[in-house]
Amino acid sequence: MAYMDYENLYNQLSRGETDFEIELKPEAIVEALVVNTMPMHPVEEIFHVDPGQKNLMNMPVSLMFKIAGNLDPVERTALRSVNKAIKNLADSLPPVFESMSIAWTSCNSLYWKFNDNPTEHFGEGKLEKLSNIPGFKVNNLRLRSYGRCGRTLFNYPKTKLADVLPESFLNAKNVDINVATINDAIQLLSIAKPGDLESIRLWPVDRSEGEHFPKFFNTEQFKKTKNVEILSLQGFDVEVLSNFSHLKSFKIKLSGDFVEEDFLRIRETISTFEDLEKCELRIVSGFQIREICKALGIKIPLGSLKTITHRYQIPESNKCLDFKIESGGPSILMKIMRIR
Amino acid sequence: MSSTEQGTSSAAPAEPTTAPESAAAPEVPESFYYVHGKDKVVHKVSAGALQHSALIHGMISNLGYTEEQAKANPFPFENIDGDILQMVVDWCNQHKGKPTPPEDTNLPKQKEKLFDLVLAVNYLEIKELLTYCCKQVAMMVKGKSPEEIREIWMIPTDAEDEAAEKEAKKRAGKEAAGETAAAAGDAK
């Protein structure tokens, strides 16, 4: 037996690897001594026993990418410690997050969450570091600033909300904003690149902010987006609706002092929206479903009325608006689809 | 060769009928093709169901088989286990001519089966099913630690990888030396 073979055997035994019956069979040792060969090393036994064994490493690289691509960048961090090959795989996938929620504290520092994961992350400079990774992108961005609601004149932060948000967040496709004032909403919206934004959702702002909505509608981001949801638009005026003429879809909750003629004017205004596919108006007006139907000239059946459908032929056009009007609590929901 | 016919009765070719001339043109009967896996069990699948597979669809459109020719020459997929091919055929039949749903919950839970299915579906180029399968493989490790991932996906550590590589090299070297010695012996 050669010195190296003795050394191998010694090393195996000193590591406590005594569980190799094949190798320690007397005839095997005799064979090793006689023909100067050692039996197969245990590692070889383990890894060459079933070359056809299915595992992730046996898959084509394109499939490994496709599989790992289903995990978001945070979920992929665990892959980085699995082994070198998987680490390289995880690192070569672009850091695209499906959704991210960012919230501002009262002193304008940030904390954030990824997708539906409840774990909160925070720390100065960390978000910027993350956003500086080449290819970083968030598809759906939720921006929240609850803390600002409770601020007073004395603890109002010197920095703006947008000042602490890294620039890379400008490229989100969909933005969901929940802030106290229209000015804060405009400030956050203004950092997004006009034209890149596919949809905007704005949660209710302070009641006193209603008069500032025209400023929101005048932002380039609003003018160039295609889908909008405004969860509360106070101080209704039919003219306001004309701001939505460029949209493919919109949802609004309208409240204010309505008069009967307003419903006809809403229908007329919406019928002029050439690009519209569908919209939903939740109207808080004090009017009941029967009164609205009457105002729109819809025949009302006898008995209780919860839902009614109505097709409106757009004058001098071959297109129609399909209305589904539903009553529910203090509001009326009007779902409108444009039929081509 | 054993044979199982997988087509549903509604999809069977219609018998020719004597329809009045004034009636609308009769529907073109659906054509069927045959596939078999490693176990040689033949599966009858409609052309509509096979459209999910870009590979088979391409073969059909390039070969221009008649139904009789197709029956005599089933497409051989020797690299796919019979039970896996059965799963694929079932999926294609279930989703024939239907829009595919955003998720599929009927995929195998056993990882070996799922890995086999991924490889088969990738080979057959069934895009939607591949997307579901890859998502399911990914979900197996969602929220798991690196050690758990290694176990679930059966991935060796770097040390194990290196050791295996070293041993493989050593063995290849030994084999090469053995072959050289044998060749020298033969020459003598």
Side-chain angles (χ1 to χ4, degrees), chain A residues 248-295:
Chain A
K248 269 188 181 175
S249 76
F250 62 88
K251 281 185 187 181
I252 335 170
K253 184 180 174 187
L254 297 166
S255 54
D257 300 323
F258 282 75
V259 291
E260 207 173 294
E261 291 75 37
D262 283 339
F263 299 104
L264 265 180
R265 290 171 65 199
I266 288 173
R267 187 172 70 182
E268 276 164 26
T269 309
I270 289 175
S271 70
T272 62
F273 295 174
E274 288 296 326
D275 296 327
L276 185 74
E277 289 170 4
K278 60 179 180 178
C279 68
E280 273 186 35
L281 308 176
R282 185 169 285 284
I283 301 171
V284 186
S285 62
F287 281 87
Q288 299 301 308
I289 187 167
R290 283 186 178 276
E291 295 164 309
I292 295 174
C293 289
K294 201 176 156 195

Side-chain angles (χ1 to χ4, degrees), chain A residues 41 43-44 47-48 54-57 59-60 63 66-67 70-71 75 78-79 81-84 86, chain B residues 115-116 118-119 122 130-131 134-135 137-138 142 144 146 149-150 153-156 158 160 164 167 171:
Chain A
H41 193 277
V43 172
E44 220 168 349
F47 288 97
H48 299 285
K54 302 290 185 312
N55 67 30
L56 194 79
M57 305 300 284
M59 294 211 180
L63 281 185
K66 201 169 166 66
I67 291 164
N70 279 291
L71 300 168
E75 289 158 356
L79 297 185
S81 309
V82 170
N83 77 5
K84 266 185 207 165
I86 298 289
Chain B
F115 285 162
D116 279 340
V118 171
L119 291 169
N122 181 52
L130 184 63
T131 304
C134 288
K135 192 170 180 187
V137 175
K142 196 172 177 176
K144 298 283 192 292
I149 294 173
R150 211 175 283 140
W153 279 353
M154 297 178 278
I155 300 170
D158 284 331
E160 287 167 341
E167 287 305 316
R171 195 169 58 161

Side-chain angles (χ1 to χ4, degrees), chain A residues 34 40 52 59 62 117 124 126 130 141 155 157 170-171 186 194-196 211 228 236 266 268 272 307 321 329 331:
Chain A
V34 172
M40 195 180 273
M59 294 211 180
S62 62
N117 194 327
E124 205 176 321
K126 280 188 182 173
L130 176 75
L141 190 58
N155 68 4
L170 315 188
N171 55 13
I186 293 171
D196 281 2
E211 63 192 75
V228 166
F236 172 74
I266 288 173
E268 276 164 26
T272 62
T307 306
L321 291 181
S331 64

Side-chain angles (χ1 to χ4, degrees), chain A residues 147-319:
Chain A
R148 213 171 173 92
C149 306
R151 290 173 192 165
T152 64
L153 193 64
F154 303 105
N155 68 4
Y156 206 82
K158 285 171 189 162
T159 51
K160 290 178 179 176
L161 292 178
D163 290 346
V164 289
L165 192 67
E167 282 197 3
S168 309
F169 286 93
L170 315 188
N171 55 13
K173 276 190 202 165
N174 308 303
V175 177
D176 178 319
I177 301 172
N178 190 349
V179 288
T181 67
I182 288 288
N183 274 341
D184 283 350
I186 293 171
Q187 203 192 108
L188 291 178
L189 198 59
S190 64
I191 60 169
K193 201 172 162 190
D196 281 2
L197 262 184
E198 287 175 14
S199 76
I200 301 170
R201 179 190 282 164
L202 181 65
W203 288 77
V205 289
D206 285 355
R207 289 190 73 82
S208 57
E209 289 287 311
E211 63 192 75
H212 301 301
F213 265 105
K215 283 198 278 181
F216 183 79
F217 297 139
N218 279 332
T219 59
E220 280 303 300
Q221 288 76 9
F222 180 86
K223 284 179 184 172
K224 291 195 172 162
T225 194
K226 291 291 166 204
N227 310 287
V228 166
E229 192 173 344
I230 295 180
L231 278 83
S232 183
L233 183 56
Q234 298 107 359
F236 172 74
D237 169 3
V238 173
E239 299 305 316
V240 163
L241 273 182
S242 58
N243 292 299
F244 296 81
S245 62
H246 64 290
L247 298 170
K248 269 188 181 175
S249 76
F250 62 88
K251 281 185 187 181
I252 335 170
K253 184 180 174 187
L254 297 166
S255 54
D257 300 323
F258 282 75
V259 291
E260 207 173 294
E261 291 75 37
D262 283 339
F263 299 104
L264 265 180
R265 290 171 65 199
I266 288 173
R267 187 172 70 182
E268 276 164 26
T269 309
I270 289 175
S271 70
T272 62
F273 295 174
E274 288 296 326
D275 296 327
L276 185 74
E277 289 170 4
K278 60 179 180 178
C279 68
E280 273 186 35
L281 308 176
R282 185 169 285 284
I283 301 171
V284 186
S285 62
F287 281 87
Q288 299 301 308
I289 187 167
R290 283 186 178 276
E291 295 164 309
I292 295 174
C293 289
K294 201 176 156 195
L296 292 172
I298 304 169
K299 283 183 186 169
I300 314 162
L302 293 169
S304 67
L305 188 60
K306 287 265 179 198
T307 306
I308 195 156
T309 53
H310 157 65
R311 176 163 285 187
Y312 173 68
Q313 177 70 47
I314 300 172
E316 296 167 19
S317 160
N318 56 356
K319 290 160 193 161

